[in-house]
């Protein structure tokens, strides 16, 4: 998939949200300017990652049209995005043992940067960090980042034994690189949480090349 030489970083699309503010259902399946949000995320990340998987719970068949592996959480009670990241790290360790890092991205961010993986990896390497996260407009986006596969057992311990749920509570334990993106002409980490956001995303799509 990746067209960046030397890139061997799988990506996980976190698509397990319950979309309560949209009346339920899968947010990534909503359409913006004729394409689902999830397809937009896939199109943006496929050239940057060695391959992509989807993290989602429930019936995986609803994502069959995308042709990607669907990996469910194996931590009970839907503890949030950290469980999805853990599932991706475990999947990578089992299926791609040579991969040392995994990119995570929210499945409801249709305008992700085209240089997301490259800049995160450059910052992580330059700062000798264990993790890297994205930010924009003075706000960190903790679900969008690079994760070390070797930390998967420590993450499982934090989730299961310590009941850690907030991503930044866990990442604070490790050297962390933060990479900032500009918010003009649009915030690349805009996420569609409400029906109004979908309407705004239709407008932003034109600024992002459709």
């Amino acid at each position: 998939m990746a067209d960046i030489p030397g890139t061997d970083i799988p990506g996980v699309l976190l698509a397990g949200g319950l979309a309560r503010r949209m009346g339920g259902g899968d947010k990534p399946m909503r359409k913006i300017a004729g394409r689902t949000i999830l397809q937009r995320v896939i199109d943006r990340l496929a050239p940057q990652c060695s391959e992509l998987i989807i993290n989602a719970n429930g019936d995986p068949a609803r994502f069959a049209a995308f042709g990607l592996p669907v990996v469910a959480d194996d931590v009970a009670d839907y503890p949030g995005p950290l469980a999805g990241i853990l599932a991706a790290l475990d999947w990578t360790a089992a299926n791609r043992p040579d991969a040392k890092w995994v990119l995570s991205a929210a499945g409801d961010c249709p305008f992700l940067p085209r240089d997301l993986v490259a800049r995160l990896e450059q910052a992580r390497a330059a700062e000798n960090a264990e993790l890297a996260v994205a930010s924009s407009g003075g706000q960190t986006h903790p679900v969008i980042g690079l994760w070390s596969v070797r930390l998967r057992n420590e993450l499982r311990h934090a989730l299961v034994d310590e009941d850690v749920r907030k991503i930044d509570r866990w990442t604070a334990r490790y050297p962390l690189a933060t990479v900032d993106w500009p918010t003009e002409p649009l915030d690349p980490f805009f996420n569609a949480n409400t029906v109004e956001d979908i309407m705004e995303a239709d407008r932003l799509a034109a600024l992002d090349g459709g």
Side-chain angles (χ1 to χ4, degrees), residues 82 85 101-102 104 119-135 139-148 151 166-180:
L82 275 177
I85 291 164
W101 310 94
V102 173
S104 68
R119 288 195 60 202
L120 288 174
E121 172 58 15
Q122 288 165 4
R124 184 208 60 74
E127 298 179 34
N128 197 28
E130 295 272 14
L131 309 164
V133 296
S135 71
Q139 179 182 358
T140 299
H141 308 290
V143 300
I144 300 172
L146 282 182
W147 307 82
S148 172
L151 296 180
K166 288 181 66 65
I167 295 178
D168 51 8
R169 182 181 163 199
W170 188 69
T171 58
R173 302 176 179 185
Y174 303 96
L176 175 70
T178 301
V179 183
D180 190 63

Side-chain angles (χ1 to χ4, degrees), residues 7-18:
T7 297
D8 188 22
I9 298 177
V12 58
L13 314 180
L14 302 172
L18 300 178

Side-chain angles (χ1 to χ4, degrees), residues 13-15 27-32 35-44 52-54 62-63 66 68 105-110:
L13 314 180
L14 302 172
K27 281 191 294 182
M29 305 298 271
R30 303 296 173 107
K31 287 190 175 182
I32 293 173
R35 280 191 292 156
T36 64
I37 297 173
L38 187 57
Q39 188 61 59
R40 287 176 173 272
V41 176
I42 291 169
D43 291 347
R44 192 56 57 92
L52 297 174
I53 64 173
I54 296 171
R62 67 193 193 276
F63 297 107
F66 299 99
L68 299 176
D108 62 353
C109 288

Side-chain angles (χ1 to χ4, degrees), residues 8-10 50-51 91-101 149:
D8 188 22
I9 298 177
S50 58
E51 63 195 296
W91 183 93
T92 300
N95 294 277
R96 302 293 181 265
D98 293 337
K100 295 180 172 61
W101 310 94
V149 177

